[in-house]
Amino acid sequence: VHLNLRMDSHSMGDSDPAALFGHVASELSRRKIAFIFARESLVAPRLSPIVRKAFDGVLIANDSITPAEGANLIANGEADAVS
Protein backbone atom coordinates (compact mmCIF):
# COMPACT_ATOMS: atom_id res chain seq x y z
CA VAL A 1 0.00 0.00 0.00
CA HIS A 2 1.34 3.45 -0.93
CA LEU A 3 0.71 6.14 1.69
CA ASN A 4 1.60 9.80 1.28
CA LEU A 5 2.36 10.70 4.89
CA ARG A 6 3.19 14.26 3.80
CA MET A 7 -0.41 14.77 2.64
CA ASP A 8 0.71 17.19 -0.06
CA SER A 9 -1.16 15.91 -3.09
CA HIS A 10 -4.76 15.75 -4.28
CA SER A 11 -5.89 18.27 -1.63
CA MET A 12 -5.42 15.63 1.07
CA GLY A 13 -5.40 16.68 4.70
CA ASP A 14 -6.57 15.74 8.17
CA SER A 15 -6.86 17.56 11.48
CA ASP A 16 -4.97 14.74 13.27
CA PRO A 17 -2.65 13.01 10.79
CA ALA A 18 -0.80 11.08 13.51
CA ALA A 19 -4.02 9.42 14.68
CA LEU A 20 -5.19 8.87 11.10
CA PHE A 21 -2.04 7.17 9.84
CA GLY A 22 -1.53 5.27 13.08
CA HIS A 23 -5.02 3.82 12.70
CA VAL A 24 -4.51 3.06 9.00
CA ALA A 25 -1.19 1.31 9.73
CA SER A 26 -2.75 -0.72 12.53
CA GLU A 27 -5.62 -1.84 10.30
CA LEU A 28 -3.27 -2.71 7.44
CA SER A 29 -1.19 -4.77 9.85
CA ARG A 30 -4.30 -6.52 11.15
CA ARG A 31 -5.15 -7.43 7.57
CA LYS A 32 -1.62 -8.80 7.08
CA ILE A 33 -0.74 -6.40 4.27
CA ALA A 34 2.83 -7.16 3.17
CA PHE A 35 4.26 -3.64 2.98
CA ILE A 36 3.66 0.08 3.21
CA PHE A 37 5.49 2.35 0.81
CA ALA A 38 5.57 5.59 2.81
CA ARG A 39 6.28 8.90 1.12
CA GLU A 40 7.62 11.31 3.71
CA SER A 41 10.53 13.68 4.03
CA LEU A 42 12.85 13.66 7.03
CA VAL A 43 11.65 17.10 8.14
CA ALA A 44 9.62 17.23 11.36
CA PRO A 45 6.93 16.47 12.15
CA ARG A 46 7.42 12.93 10.90
CA LEU A 47 4.70 10.31 10.88
CA SER A 48 6.68 7.24 9.79
CA PRO A 49 7.79 6.40 13.37
CA ILE A 50 4.10 6.19 14.30
CA VAL A 51 3.39 4.03 11.26
CA ARG A 52 6.41 1.80 12.01
CA LYS A 53 5.17 1.23 15.58
CA ALA A 54 1.66 0.28 14.42
CA PHE A 55 2.59 -1.83 11.38
CA ASP A 56 4.13 -5.32 11.53
CA GLY A 57 4.92 -5.64 7.83
CA VAL A 58 7.71 -4.12 5.75
CA LEU A 59 7.96 -0.32 5.79
CA ILE A 60 9.63 1.22 2.74
CA ALA A 61 10.66 4.87 3.21
CA ASN A 62 10.66 7.18 0.20
CA ASP A 63 11.05 10.82 -0.76
CA SER A 64 14.38 12.53 -1.37
CA ILE A 65 16.27 10.30 1.05
CA THR A 66 20.02 10.12 0.52
CA PRO A 67 21.88 6.80 0.78
CA ALA A 68 23.35 7.86 4.14
CA GLU A 69 19.94 8.92 5.49
CA GLY A 70 18.45 5.67 4.25
CA ALA A 71 21.12 3.60 5.93
CA ASN A 72 20.45 5.50 9.16
CA LEU A 73 16.69 4.88 8.93
CA ILE A 74 17.28 1.15 8.45
CA ALA A 75 19.91 0.95 11.20
CA ASN A 76 17.56 2.72 13.64
CA GLY A 77 14.67 0.39 12.78
CA GLU A 78 12.58 3.23 11.35
CA ALA A 79 12.35 1.50 7.95
CA ASP A 80 13.03 -1.91 6.47
CA ALA A 81 14.02 -0.54 3.08
CA VAL A 82 14.45 2.81 1.32
CA SER A 83 13.75 3.72 -2.28
Coordinates of all heavy atoms in Angstrom, one line a residue:
V1 N 0.8 -1.2 0.0 CA 0.0 0.0 0.0 C 0.9 1.2 0.0 O 1.9 1.3 0.8 CB -0.9 0.0 1.2 CG1 -1.7 1.3 1.4 CG2 -1.9 -1.2 1.2
H2 N 0.6 2.2 -0.9 CA 1.3 3.4 -0.9 C 0.6 4.5 -0.1 O -0.6 4.8 -0.4 CB 1.4 3.9 -2.4 CG 2.2 5.1 -2.6 ND1 2.6 5.6 -3.8 CD2 2.8 6.0 -1.7 CE1 3.3 6.7 -3.7 NE2 3.4 7.0 -2.5
L3 N 1.3 5.1 0.9 CA 0.7 6.1 1.7 C 1.6 7.4 1.5 O 2.8 7.3 1.6 CB 0.7 5.8 3.2 CG -0.2 4.6 3.6 CD1 0.0 4.3 5.1 CD2 -1.6 4.8 3.2
N4 N 0.9 8.5 1.3 CA 1.6 9.8 1.3 C 1.5 10.4 2.7 O 0.5 11.1 2.9 CB 1.0 10.7 0.2 CG 1.7 12.0 0.1 OD1 2.6 12.3 0.9 ND2 1.3 12.8 -0.8
L5 N 2.4 10.2 3.5 CA 2.4 10.7 4.9 C 2.5 12.2 4.9 O 2.2 12.8 5.9 CB 3.4 10.0 5.8 CG 3.4 8.5 5.8 CD1 4.5 8.0 6.7 CD2 2.1 8.0 6.3
R6 N 3.0 12.8 3.9 CA 3.2 14.3 3.8 C 1.9 15.0 3.5 O 1.7 16.2 3.7 CB 4.2 14.6 2.7 CG 5.6 14.1 3.1 CD 6.6 14.5 2.1 NE 6.2 14.8 0.8 CZ 6.8 15.6 -0.1 NH1 7.9 16.2 0.3 NH2 6.3 15.8 -1.3
M7 N 0.9 14.2 3.0 CA -0.4 14.8 2.6 C -0.3 16.0 1.8 O -1.0 17.0 2.1 CB -1.2 15.0 3.9 CG -1.5 13.8 4.7 SD -2.6 14.0 6.1 CE -1.8 15.3 7.0
D8 N 0.5 16.0 0.8 CA 0.7 17.2 -0.1 C 0.2 17.0 -1.5 O 0.7 17.7 -2.4 CB 2.2 17.6 0.0 CG 3.1 16.6 -0.6 OD1 2.6 15.4 -0.9 OD2 4.3 16.9 -0.8
S9 N -0.6 16.1 -1.7 CA -1.2 15.9 -3.1 C -2.7 15.6 -3.1 O -3.2 15.2 -2.0 CB -0.4 14.8 -3.8 OG -0.6 13.6 -3.1
H10 N -3.3 16.0 -4.1 CA -4.8 15.7 -4.3 C -5.6 16.4 -3.2 O -6.6 15.8 -2.7 CB -5.0 14.3 -4.4 CG -4.2 13.5 -5.4 ND1 -4.4 13.8 -6.7 CD2 -3.2 12.7 -5.3 CE1 -3.5 13.0 -7.4 NE2 -2.8 12.4 -6.5
S11 N -5.2 17.5 -2.7 CA -5.9 18.3 -1.6 C -6.2 17.4 -0.4 O -7.2 17.6 0.3 CB -7.2 18.8 -2.2 OG -7.0 19.7 -3.3
M12 N -5.3 16.5 -0.1 CA -5.4 15.6 1.1 C -5.0 16.4 2.3 O -4.1 17.1 2.4 CB -4.6 14.4 0.9 CG -4.7 13.4 1.9 SD -3.7 11.9 1.6 CE -3.6 11.2 3.2
G13 N -5.7 16.1 3.4 CA -5.4 16.7 4.7 C -6.2 16.1 5.8 O -7.2 15.4 5.5
D14 N -5.8 16.3 7.0 CA -6.6 15.7 8.2 C -6.2 16.6 9.4 O -5.1 17.0 9.5 CB -6.2 14.3 8.4 CG -7.1 13.6 9.4 OD1 -8.3 13.2 9.1 OD2 -6.8 13.6 10.6
S15 N -7.1 16.8 10.3 CA -6.9 17.6 11.5 C -5.9 16.8 12.5 O -5.3 17.5 13.3 CB -8.2 17.9 12.2 OG -8.8 16.8 12.6
D16 N -5.8 15.5 12.4 CA -5.0 14.7 13.3 C -4.3 13.6 12.5 O -4.6 12.5 12.6 CB -5.8 14.1 14.4 CG -4.9 13.5 15.5 OD1 -3.7 13.4 15.3 OD2 -5.5 13.2 16.5
P17 N -3.3 14.0 11.6 CA -2.7 13.0 10.8 C -2.0 11.9 11.6 O -1.9 10.8 11.1 CB -1.7 13.8 10.0 CG -1.5 15.1 10.6 CD -2.7 15.3 11.4
A18 N -1.5 12.1 12.7 CA -0.8 11.1 13.5 C -1.8 10.0 13.9 O -1.5 8.8 13.7 CB -0.1 11.7 14.8
A19 N -3.0 10.4 14.3 CA -4.0 9.4 14.7 C -4.5 8.7 13.4 O -4.7 7.5 13.4 CB -5.2 10.1 15.4
L20 N -4.7 9.5 12.4 CA -5.2 8.9 11.1 C -4.2 7.8 10.6 O -4.7 6.6 10.4 CB -5.4 10.0 10.0 CG -5.6 9.4 8.6 CD1 -7.0 8.8 8.5 CD2 -5.5 10.5 7.6
F21 N -3.0 8.1 10.4 CA -2.0 7.2 9.8 C -1.7 6.1 10.8 O -1.4 4.9 10.4 CB -0.8 7.9 9.3 CG -1.1 8.6 8.0 CD1 -1.0 10.0 7.9 CD2 -1.4 7.9 6.8 CE1 -1.3 10.6 6.8 CE2 -1.6 8.5 5.7 CZ -1.6 9.9 5.6
G22 N -1.7 6.3 12.1 CA -1.5 5.3 13.1 C -2.6 4.2 13.0 O -2.4 3.0 13.0
H23 N -3.9 4.7 12.8 CA -5.0 3.8 12.7 C -4.9 3.0 11.4 O -5.2 1.8 11.4 CB -6.3 4.6 12.8 CG -7.5 3.8 12.5 ND1 -8.0 2.9 13.5 CD2 -8.3 3.7 11.4 CE1 -9.1 2.3 13.0 NE2 -9.3 2.7 11.7
V24 N -4.6 3.7 10.3 CA -4.5 3.1 9.0 C -3.4 2.0 9.1 O -3.7 0.8 8.6 CB -4.2 4.1 7.9 CG1 -3.8 3.4 6.6 CG2 -5.4 5.0 7.6
A25 N -2.3 2.3 9.6 CA -1.2 1.3 9.7 C -1.6 0.1 10.6 O -1.3 -1.0 10.2 CB 0.1 2.0 10.3
S26 N -2.3 0.4 11.7 CA -2.7 -0.7 12.5 C -3.7 -1.6 11.8 O -3.6 -2.9 11.9 CB -3.4 -0.1 13.8 OG -3.9 -1.1 14.6
E27 N -4.6 -1.0 11.1 CA -5.6 -1.8 10.3 C -5.0 -2.6 9.2 O -5.3 -3.7 8.9 CB -6.7 -0.9 9.8 CG -7.7 -0.5 10.9 CD -8.3 -1.6 11.6 OE1 -8.9 -2.5 11.0 OE2 -8.3 -1.6 12.9
L28 N -4.0 -2.0 8.5 CA -3.3 -2.7 7.4 C -2.5 -3.9 8.0 O -2.4 -5.0 7.4 CB -2.3 -1.8 6.7 CG -3.0 -0.7 5.8 CD1 -2.0 0.3 5.3 CD2 -3.8 -1.3 4.7
S29 N -1.9 -3.7 9.2 CA -1.2 -4.8 9.9 C -2.1 -5.9 10.2 O -1.8 -7.1 10.0 CB -0.5 -4.2 11.1 OG 0.4 -5.2 11.7
R30 N -3.3 -5.5 10.8 CA -4.3 -6.5 11.2 C -4.7 -7.4 10.0 O -5.0 -8.6 10.1 CB -5.5 -5.8 11.8 CG -6.5 -6.7 12.4 CD -7.6 -6.0 13.1 NE -8.5 -5.2 12.3 CZ -9.5 -5.7 11.6 NH1 -9.8 -7.0 11.7 NH2 -10.3 -5.0 10.9
R31 N -4.8 -6.7 8.8 CA -5.2 -7.4 7.6 C -4.0 -8.2 6.9 O -4.1 -8.7 5.8 CB -5.8 -6.4 6.6 CG -7.2 -6.0 7.1 CD -7.6 -4.8 6.3 NE -9.0 -4.4 6.5 CZ -9.5 -3.8 7.6 NH1 -8.6 -3.4 8.5 NH2 -10.7 -3.5 7.7
K32 N -2.8 -8.1 7.5 CA -1.6 -8.8 7.1 C -1.2 -8.3 5.7 O -0.7 -9.1 4.9 CB -1.8 -10.3 7.1 CG -2.2 -10.8 8.5 CD -1.8 -12.2 8.7 CE -2.3 -12.8 10.0 NZ -1.9 -12.0 11.2
I33 N -1.3 -7.0 5.5 CA -0.7 -6.4 4.3 C 0.8 -6.5 4.3 O 1.4 -6.3 5.4 CB -1.2 -4.9 4.2 CG1 -2.7 -4.8 4.1 CG2 -0.5 -4.2 3.0 CD1 -3.3 -5.5 2.9
A34 N 1.4 -6.9 3.2 CA 2.8 -7.2 3.2 C 3.7 -5.9 3.4 O 4.7 -6.0 4.1 CB 3.2 -7.8 1.8
F35 N 3.4 -4.8 2.8 CA 4.3 -3.6 3.0 C 3.5 -2.3 2.8 O 2.4 -2.3 2.2 CB 5.4 -3.7 2.0 CG 5.0 -3.5 0.5 CD1 5.0 -2.2 0.0 CD2 4.7 -4.6 -0.3 CE1 4.6 -2.0 -1.3 CE2 4.3 -4.4 -1.6 CZ 4.3 -3.1 -2.1
I36 N 4.1 -1.3 3.4 CA 3.7 0.1 3.2 C 4.8 0.8 2.6 O 6.0 0.8 3.1 CB 3.3 0.8 4.5 CG1 2.0 0.2 5.1 CG2 3.1 2.3 4.3 CD1 1.6 0.7 6.5
F37 N 4.5 1.5 1.5 CA 5.5 2.3 0.8 C 5.1 3.7 1.3 O 4.1 4.3 0.9 CB 5.3 2.2 -0.7 CG 6.3 3.0 -1.5 CD1 7.5 2.5 -1.8 CD2 5.9 4.3 -2.0 CE1 8.4 3.3 -2.6 CE2 6.7 5.0 -2.8 CZ 8.0 4.5 -3.1
A38 N 5.9 4.3 2.2 CA 5.6 5.6 2.8 C 6.3 6.8 2.2 O 7.6 6.8 2.3 CB 5.8 5.5 4.3
R39 N 5.6 7.7 1.7 CA 6.3 8.9 1.1 C 6.3 10.0 2.2 O 5.2 10.5 2.6 CB 5.5 9.4 -0.1 CG 6.1 10.5 -0.8 CD 5.5 10.8 -2.1 NE 5.9 12.2 -2.5 CZ 5.1 13.2 -2.7 NH1 3.8 13.0 -2.7 NH2 5.6 14.3 -3.1
E40 N 7.5 10.3 2.7 CA 7.6 11.3 3.7 C 9.0 11.8 3.7 O 10.0 11.1 3.6 CB 7.3 10.7 5.1 CG 7.5 11.7 6.2 CD 7.2 11.1 7.6 OE1 7.8 10.0 7.9 OE2 6.4 11.7 8.3
S41 N 9.2 13.1 3.9 CA 10.5 13.7 4.0 C 11.0 13.5 5.5 O 10.3 13.0 6.3 CB 10.5 15.2 3.7 OG 9.8 15.9 4.7
L42 N 12.3 13.8 5.7 CA 12.8 13.7 7.0 C 12.7 14.9 7.9 O 13.3 15.0 9.0 CB 14.3 13.3 6.9 CG 14.6 11.9 6.2 CD1 16.0 11.6 6.1 CD2 13.8 10.8 6.9
V43 N 11.9 15.9 7.4 CA 11.7 17.1 8.1 C 10.5 16.9 9.1 O 9.5 16.3 8.8 CB 11.3 18.2 7.1 CG1 11.0 19.5 7.9 CG2 12.4 18.4 6.1
A44 N 10.7 17.4 10.3 CA 9.6 17.2 11.4 C 8.4 18.1 11.0 O 8.6 19.1 10.3 CB 10.2 17.7 12.7
P45 N 7.2 17.7 11.4 CA 6.9 16.5 12.1 C 6.9 15.3 11.2 O 6.3 15.3 10.1 CB 5.6 16.8 12.7 CG 4.9 17.7 11.7 CD 6.0 18.5 11.2
R46 N 7.4 14.2 11.7 CA 7.4 12.9 10.9 C 6.4 12.0 11.4 O 6.2 11.8 12.6 CB 8.8 12.3 11.0 CG 9.8 13.2 10.3 CD 11.2 12.6 10.3 NE 11.2 11.3 9.6 CZ 11.7 10.2 10.2 NH1 12.3 10.2 11.4 NH2 11.6 9.0 9.6
L47 N 5.7 11.3 10.5 CA 4.7 10.3 10.9 C 5.2 8.9 10.7 O 4.6 8.0 11.3 CB 3.4 10.5 10.0 CG 2.8 11.9 10.2 CD1 1.7 12.0 9.2 CD2 2.3 12.1 11.6
S48 N 6.2 8.6 10.0 CA 6.7 7.2 9.8 C 7.0 6.5 11.1 O 6.8 5.3 11.2 CB 7.8 7.2 8.8 OG 8.9 8.0 9.1
P49 N 7.6 7.2 12.1 CA 7.8 6.4 13.4 C 6.5 5.9 14.0 O 6.5 4.8 14.5 CB 8.5 7.4 14.3 CG 9.2 8.3 13.4 CD 8.2 8.5 12.2
I50 N 5.4 6.6 13.8 CA 4.1 6.2 14.3 C 3.6 5.0 13.5 O 3.1 4.0 14.0 CB 3.1 7.4 14.3 CG1 3.5 8.4 15.3 CG2 1.7 6.9 14.5 CD1 2.9 9.8 15.1
V51 N 3.8 5.1 12.2 CA 3.4 4.0 11.3 C 4.2 2.8 11.6 O 3.7 1.7 11.6 CB 3.5 4.5 9.8 CG1 3.4 3.3 8.8 CG2 2.5 5.6 9.5
R52 N 5.5 2.9 11.7 CA 6.4 1.8 12.0 C 6.0 1.1 13.3 O 5.9 -0.2 13.3 CB 7.9 2.3 12.2 CG 8.9 1.3 12.7 CD 9.3 0.2 11.7 NE 8.2 -0.7 11.5 CZ 8.2 -1.6 10.5 NH1 9.1 -1.6 9.6 NH2 7.2 -2.5 10.4
K53 N 5.6 1.8 14.3 CA 5.2 1.2 15.6 C 3.9 0.4 15.4 O 3.7 -0.6 16.1 CB 5.0 2.3 16.6 CG 4.8 1.8 18.0 CD 4.8 3.0 19.0 CE 4.7 2.5 20.4 NZ 4.8 3.5 21.4
A54 N 3.0 0.9 14.6 CA 1.7 0.3 14.4 C 1.6 -0.8 13.4 O 0.6 -1.6 13.3 CB 0.6 1.3 14.1
F55 N 2.6 -0.9 12.5 CA 2.6 -1.8 11.4 C 3.6 -2.9 11.5 O 4.8 -2.6 11.7 CB 2.8 -1.0 10.1 CG 2.7 -1.8 8.8 CD1 1.4 -2.4 8.5 CD2 3.8 -2.1 8.0 CE1 1.3 -3.1 7.3 CE2 3.7 -2.8 6.9 CZ 2.4 -3.4 6.5
D56 N 3.2 -4.2 11.4 CA 4.1 -5.3 11.5 C 4.8 -5.7 10.2 O 5.8 -6.5 10.3 CB 3.4 -6.5 12.1 CG 2.9 -6.3 13.5 OD1 3.6 -5.6 14.3 OD2 1.8 -6.8 13.9
G57 N 4.3 -5.3 9.1 CA 4.9 -5.6 7.8 C 6.1 -4.8 7.5 O 6.7 -4.1 8.4
V58 N 6.5 -4.9 6.2 CA 7.7 -4.1 5.8 C 7.3 -2.7 5.5 O 6.3 -2.4 4.9 CB 8.2 -4.8 4.4 CG1 9.3 -3.9 3.8 CG2 8.7 -6.2 4.7
L59 N 8.2 -1.8 6.0 CA 8.0 -0.3 5.8 C 9.1 0.2 4.9 O 10.3 0.1 5.2 CB 8.0 0.5 7.1 CG 7.8 2.0 7.0 CD1 6.4 2.3 6.4 CD2 7.9 2.7 8.3
I60 N 8.7 0.7 3.7 CA 9.6 1.2 2.7 C 9.5 2.7 2.8 O 8.5 3.3 2.5 CB 9.3 0.7 1.3 CG1 9.3 -0.8 1.3 CG2 10.3 1.3 0.3 CD1 8.7 -1.4 0.1
A61 N 10.6 3.4 3.1 CA 10.7 4.9 3.2 C 11.0 5.4 1.8 O 11.9 4.9 1.1 CB 11.7 5.3 4.3
N62 N 10.4 6.6 1.5 CA 10.7 7.2 0.2 C 10.4 8.7 0.3 O 9.5 9.1 0.9 CB 9.7 6.6 -0.8 CG 9.8 7.3 -2.2 OD1 9.0 8.2 -2.4 ND2 10.8 6.9 -3.0
D63 N 11.2 9.4 -0.4 CA 11.0 10.8 -0.8 C 12.3 11.6 -0.5 O 12.5 12.0 0.7 CB 9.9 11.5 -0.1 CG 9.4 12.8 -0.8 OD1 9.6 12.8 -2.1 OD2 9.0 13.7 -0.2
S64 N 13.1 11.7 -1.4 CA 14.4 12.5 -1.4 C 15.3 12.1 -0.2 O 15.9 13.0 0.5 CB 14.0 14.0 -1.3 OG 13.2 14.4 -2.3
I65 N 15.4 10.8 0.0 CA 16.3 10.3 1.1 C 17.6 9.9 0.5 O 17.7 9.2 -0.5 CB 15.6 9.1 1.7 CG1 14.3 9.5 2.4 CG2 16.5 8.5 2.8 CD1 13.4 8.4 2.9
T66 N 18.7 10.4 1.0 CA 20.0 10.1 0.5 C 20.4 8.7 1.0 O 19.8 8.2 1.9 CB 21.1 11.1 1.1 OG1 21.2 10.9 2.5 CG2 20.7 12.6 0.8
P67 N 21.4 8.1 0.3 CA 21.9 6.8 0.8 C 22.3 6.8 2.3 O 21.9 5.8 3.0 CB 23.1 6.5 -0.1 CG 22.7 7.2 -1.4 CD 22.1 8.5 -0.9
A68 N 22.9 7.8 2.7 CA 23.3 7.9 4.1 C 22.1 8.0 5.1 O 22.1 7.3 6.1 CB 24.3 9.0 4.4
E69 N 21.2 8.8 4.7 CA 19.9 8.9 5.5 C 19.2 7.6 5.5 O 18.7 7.2 6.5 CB 19.1 10.0 4.9 CG 19.6 11.4 5.1 CD 18.9 12.5 4.3 OE1 18.3 12.2 3.3 OE2 19.0 13.7 4.7
G70 N 19.1 7.0 4.3 CA 18.4 5.7 4.3 C 19.1 4.6 5.1 O 18.4 3.9 5.8
A71 N 20.4 4.6 5.1 CA 21.1 3.6 5.9 C 20.8 3.9 7.4 O 20.7 2.9 8.2 CB 22.6 3.7 5.7
N72 N 20.8 5.1 7.8 CA 20.5 5.5 9.2 C 19.0 5.1 9.5 O 18.8 4.6 10.6 CB 20.6 7.0 9.3 CG 20.6 7.4 10.8 OD1 21.1 6.7 11.7 ND2 19.9 8.5 11.1
L73 N 18.1 5.3 8.7 CA 16.7 4.9 8.9 C 16.6 3.4 9.2 O 15.9 2.9 10.1 CB 15.8 5.3 7.8 CG 15.5 6.8 7.6 CD1 14.7 7.0 6.3 CD2 14.7 7.3 8.8
I74 N 17.3 2.6 8.3 CA 17.3 1.2 8.4 C 18.0 0.7 9.7 O 17.5 -0.1 10.5 CB 17.9 0.5 7.2 CG1 17.0 0.8 6.0 CG2 18.1 -1.0 7.4 CD1 17.6 0.4 4.7
A75 N 19.2 1.3 10.0 CA 19.9 0.9 11.2 C 19.1 1.3 12.5 O 19.2 0.5 13.5 CB 21.3 1.7 11.2
N76 N 18.3 2.3 12.5 CA 17.6 2.7 13.6 C 16.2 2.0 13.7 O 15.5 2.2 14.7 CB 17.3 4.2 13.6 CG 18.6 5.0 13.9 OD1 19.5 4.5 14.5 ND2 18.6 6.3 13.4
G77 N 15.9 1.1 12.8 CA 14.7 0.4 12.8 C 13.5 1.2 12.4 O 12.3 0.8 12.5
E78 N 13.7 2.4 11.8 CA 12.6 3.2 11.4 C 12.0 2.8 10.0 O 10.9 3.2 9.6 CB 13.0 4.7 11.3 CG 13.3 5.3 12.6 CD 13.6 6.8 12.5 OE1 12.8 7.5 11.9 OE2 14.6 7.2 13.0
A79 N 12.8 2.0 9.2 CA 12.3 1.5 8.0 C 13.0 0.2 7.7 O 14.1 -0.1 8.2 CB 12.7 2.5 6.8
D80 N 12.4 -0.7 6.9 CA 13.0 -1.9 6.5 C 13.8 -1.8 5.2 O 14.7 -2.6 4.9 CB 12.0 -3.0 6.3 CG 11.3 -3.2 7.7 OD1 11.9 -3.7 8.6 OD2 10.1 -3.0 7.8
A81 N 13.4 -0.8 4.4 CA 14.0 -0.5 3.1 C 13.8 0.9 2.7 O 12.9 1.6 3.3 CB 13.4 -1.4 2.0
V82 N 14.6 1.4 1.8 CA 14.4 2.8 1.3 C 14.5 2.8 -0.2 O 15.3 2.1 -0.8 CB 15.6 3.7 1.9 CG1 15.5 5.1 1.4 CG2 15.5 3.7 3.4
S83 N 13.7 3.6 -0.8 CA 13.8 3.7 -2.3 C 13.9 5.2 -2.7 O 13.6 6.1 -1.9 CB 12.5 3.1 -2.9 OG 11.4 3.8 -2.6

